[in-house]
C-alpha cells in the first residue's frame, strides 16, 4: 500500500564484492492497479589486486636442492611462510618403495592436502603432521617430519616429497624434499 519505498542494499555490497564479475538484479514493482515497472540494476565487482609474494618453503636443517641421507639424528624441518595465509598444503609422495597401495594399507595416500585431509586426517595426525585448522590461514608454519624419518629409513632407496603451498591469493610454490634411505 505504500506510494514510495526505499530499497536499501548497501549492507549487501560487501558480500557481492567477494564475487568478481558483473551481477544483474532485476526488480519488478507491481502497483494495486496491476501496472508494473521492471528495472535492472547492474553491479561490477572488481577482483582485488594480488598483494604480496608467493609462499616460501625453506629449511635450516635440510638441503632443499639436493638429496638428504636419512641418519639417526636427522632433523627434518621445513619452514613455510605465506603472507597471504595458507589455503592448501599439498604433498605428493614419489617413491618406488612407498607405493600408493602400500600407503593406503597404512591409512595414507600418495597425494594429499594437509589443509583438507579428508579421511586421512587421523593417520596424518598420528604421524605428527599438522592438518586442517593447524594449516589453513597460517602465515608461518613449521612442517616438522623428524619423527617420520625412522619409519622412512626402513625402506631403502630414494623417497621424494613434493610440497606445494598455495596461499589465499592463489599464489603457489613447489619444492621437492629428497631423502635417501641406506639400510644395512
Amino acid at each position: 500500500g505504500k506510494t514510495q519505498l526505499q530499497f536499501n542494499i548497501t549492507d549487501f555490497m560487501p558480500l557481492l564484492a567477494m564475487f568478481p564479475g558483473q551481477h544483474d538484479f532485476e526488480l519488478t514493482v507491481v502497483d494495486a492497479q496491476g501496472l508494473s515497472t521492471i528495472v535492472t540494476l547492474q553491479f561490477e565487482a572488481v577482483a582485488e589486486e594480488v598483494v604480496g609474494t608467493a609462499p616460501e618453503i625453506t629449511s635450516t636443517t635440510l638441503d632443499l636442492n639436493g638429496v638428504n641421507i636419512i641418519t639417526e639424528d636427522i632433523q627434518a624441518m621445513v619452514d613455510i611462510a605465506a603472507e597471504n595465509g595458507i589455503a592448501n598444503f599439498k604433498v605428493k609422495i614419489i617413491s618406488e618403495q612407498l607405493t600408493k597401495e602400500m600407503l593406503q594399507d597404512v591409512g595414507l595416500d600418495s597425494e594429499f592436502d594437509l589443509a583438507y585431509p579428508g579421511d586421512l586426517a587421523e593417520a596424518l595426525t598420528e604421524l605428527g603432521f599438522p592438518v586442517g585448522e593447524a594449516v589453513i590461514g597460517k602465515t608461518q608454519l613449521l612442517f616438522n617430519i623428524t619423527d617420520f624419518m625412522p619409519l622412512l629409513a626402513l625402506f631403502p632407496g630414494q623417497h621424494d616429497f613434493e610440497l606445494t603451498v598455495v596461499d589465499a591469493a592463489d599464489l603457489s610454490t613447489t619444492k621437492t624434499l629428497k631423502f635417501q634411505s641406506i639400510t644395512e
Side-chain angles (χ1 to χ4, degrees), residues 82-100:
E83 66 182 85
N84 294 312
I86 298 171
N88 298 93
F89 187 170
K90 300 173 186 176
V91 178
K92 180 177 182 181
I93 301 172
I94 306 161
S95 170
E96 288 183 16
Q97 296 75 18
L98 302 175
T99 64
K100 183 175 183 80

Side-chain angles (χ1 to χ4, degrees), residues 20-111:
Q22 183 173 323
H23 306 282
D24 296 343
F25 293 88
E26 186 178 280
L27 303 175
T28 303
V29 179
V30 181
D31 69 10
Q33 304 300 318
L35 300 173
S36 65
T37 299
I38 298 173
V39 174
T40 301
L41 303 176
Q42 292 183 330
F43 297 95
E44 180 74 25
V46 180
E48 286 186 30
E49 193 172 313
V50 174
V51 179
T53 58
E56 293 180 13
I57 301 173
T58 60
S59 179
T60 58
T61 63
L62 297 172
D63 180 355
L64 298 182
N65 298 312
V67 178
N68 297 275
I69 305 299
I70 300 173
T71 61
E72 272 182 25
D73 59 348
I74 189 171
Q75 295 293 305
M77 294 181 275
V78 177
D79 297 298
I80 310 294
E83 66 182 85
N84 294 312
I86 298 171
N88 298 93
F89 187 170
K90 300 173 186 176
V91 178
K92 180 177 182 181
I93 301 172
I94 306 161
S95 170
E96 288 183 16
Q97 296 75 18
L98 302 175
T99 64
K100 183 175 183 80
E101 295 75 24
M102 190 207 116
L103 290 166
Q104 287 175 339
D105 286 344
V106 295
L108 292 177
D109 201 340
S110 57
E111 294 186 47

Side-chain angles (χ1 to χ4, degrees), residues 77-160:
M77 294 181 275
V78 177
D79 297 298
I80 310 294
E83 66 182 85
N84 294 312
I86 298 171
N88 298 93
F89 187 170
K90 300 173 186 176
V91 178
K92 180 177 182 181
I93 301 172
I94 306 161
S95 170
E96 288 183 16
Q97 296 75 18
L98 302 175
T99 64
K100 183 175 183 80
E101 295 75 24
M102 190 207 116
L103 290 166
Q104 287 175 339
D105 286 344
V106 295
L108 292 177
D109 201 340
S110 57
E111 294 186 47
F112 50 88
D113 186 345
L114 292 170
Y116 299 94
D119 295 340
L120 304 178
E122 185 177 339
L124 291 167
T125 301
E126 286 175 6
L127 290 170
F129 296 155
V131 297
E133 299 283 323
V135 175
I136 299 169
K138 301 296 183 205
T139 56
Q140 298 286 326
L141 179 69
L142 175 63
F143 183 57
N144 186 348
I145 56 173
T146 301
D147 292 343
F148 184 65
M149 292 296 105
L151 294 172
L152 198 57
L154 298 174
F155 301 92
Q158 184 165 324
H159 312 289
D160 295 348

